[in-house]
């Protein structure tokens, strides 16, 4: 047996002998755990998890065995990360969060259950990667139920297209997933929050018409005049309820743009009286607008 690596056959033979006792007393010193082939790593893992289970946490040997287990099984993380390729995130990000899942699996693995470590670890690794996508890749925060529905819809669409259904409709997806069409529609709308685009992105020209500039240049904005027009339309019925004197006061002040002194002279009232009347009328109209708004 080499100090660096053992053959799969030698490891299997050693493992069969060691399994008869609680844990191996001596472990091989692995110089480059990351370079061990996956088949050999699986067999060595059986020895190392047995030894880890028998060691006291915090000791130097416990740390060595645990770290070696992590490095030997990084191939499991790479295997799981390949299933999530093409989602726009770097492989490095997925390897980091997948390694967290591997560490959790090592810390929670129970040798006495007799479950293969690989079988136990893969769900932990994939779970951390899925959680990473769920929590960090949505541009707009949506409920977790809709995040999971987006994955189901994508899978259903792929299956239906494989069956010859070109661009499956909402009804097709609802039938395939055995859910209401309303829920499917809600999931489709929520899926729009998965990706976002920068308003500083240059406009891509298409066809014969050439466009230049950035996306922000063609995004509409709210017209202040539109809000004013809406307010005037809402104000009309309340103006109609005023008496002749109040309407005259408003017309002279805001229509003819006369001063309060000029209005007082025109109507034979004092400037202070005109001021109080206009303030009362405006307060009344404001209260009516808020009450109906």
């Amino acid at each position: 047996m080499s100090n660096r690596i053992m053959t799969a056959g030698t490891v299997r033979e050693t493992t069969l002998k060691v399994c008869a006792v609680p844990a191996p007393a001596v472990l091989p010193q692995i110089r480059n755990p990351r370079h061990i082939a996956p088949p050999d790593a699986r067999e060595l893992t059986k020895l190392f998890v047995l030894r880890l289970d028998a060691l006291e946490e915090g000791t130097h040997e416990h740390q060595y065995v645990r770290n070696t287990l992590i490095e030997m099984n990084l191939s499991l993380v790479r295997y799981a990360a390949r299933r999530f390729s093409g989602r726009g995130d770097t492989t490095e990000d997925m390897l980091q969060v997948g390694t967290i899942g591997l560490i959790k699996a090592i810390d929670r693995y129970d040798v006495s259950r007799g479950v293969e470590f690989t079988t136990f670890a893969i769900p932990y690794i994939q779970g951390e990667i899925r959680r990473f996508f769920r929590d960090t890749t949505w541009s707009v925060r949506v409920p977790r139920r809709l995040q999971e529905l987006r994955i189901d819809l994508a899978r259903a669409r792929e299956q239906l297209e494989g069956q010859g259904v070109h661009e499956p409709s909402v009804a097709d997806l609802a039938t395939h997933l055995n859910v209401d069409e309303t829920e499917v529609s809600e999931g489709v709308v929520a899926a729009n929050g998965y990706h976002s685009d920068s308003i500083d992105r240059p406009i891509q020209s298409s066809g014969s018409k050439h466009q230049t500039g950035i996306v922000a240049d063609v995004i509409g904005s709210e017209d202040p005049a539109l809000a004013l027009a809406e307010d005037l339309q809402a104000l009309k019925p309340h103006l109609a309820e005023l008496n002749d004197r109040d309407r005259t006061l408003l017309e002279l002040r805001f229509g003819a743009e006369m001063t309060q002194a000029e209005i007082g002279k025109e109507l034979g009232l004092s400037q202070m009286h005109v001021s109080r009347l206009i303030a009362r009328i405006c307060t009344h109209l404001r209260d009516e607008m808020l009450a109906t708004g």
Side-chain angles (χ1 to χ4, degrees), residues 33-49:
R34 299 190 182 201
H35 297 164
I36 296 178
D40 292 333
R42 284 196 295 271
E43 298 300 333
L44 282 168
T45 294
K46 295 177 182 179
L47 293 174
F48 275 73
V49 294

Side-chain angles (χ1 to χ4, degrees), residues 28-143:
Q29 293 294 318
I30 311 296
R31 294 182 181 178
N32 296 296
R34 299 190 182 201
H35 297 164
I36 296 178
D40 292 333
R42 284 196 295 271
E43 298 300 333
L44 282 168
T45 294
K46 295 177 182 179
L47 293 174
F48 275 73
V49 294
L50 282 170
R51 184 59 181 163
L52 185 69
D53 188 57
L55 293 173
E56 182 180 352
E57 187 175 351
T59 62
H60 176 75
E61 187 177 2
H62 183 278
Q63 183 178 1
Y64 161 73
V65 174
R66 183 173 180 268
N67 290 344
T68 304
L69 276 170
I70 294 171
E71 294 190 58
M72 279 196 304
N73 287 281
L74 288 176
S75 59
L76 295 179
V77 179
R78 291 190 292 270
Y79 167 77
R82 283 197 294 269
R83 295 191 56 189
F84 297 89
S85 60
R87 292 199 177 191
D89 290 84
T90 63
T91 302
E92 185 63 28
D93 291 333
M94 289 188 288
L95 291 178
Q96 288 181 5
V97 297
T99 301
I100 294 174
L102 173 63
I103 294 172
K104 288 182 178 180
I106 291 173
D107 291 340
R108 300 174 185 178
Y109 181 66
D110 187 352
V111 180
S112 63
R113 293 187 178 182
V115 179
E116 184 80 19
F117 177 76
T118 301
T119 304
F120 181 81
I122 287 294
Y124 274 90
I125 298 170
Q126 292 179 342
E128 288 298 321
I129 296 176
R130 289 194 184 98
R131 189 176 295 109
F132 166 74
F133 282 116
R134 185 185 64 214
D135 295 340
T136 64
T137 58
W138 285 81
S139 301
V140 178
R141 181 59 57 195
V142 299

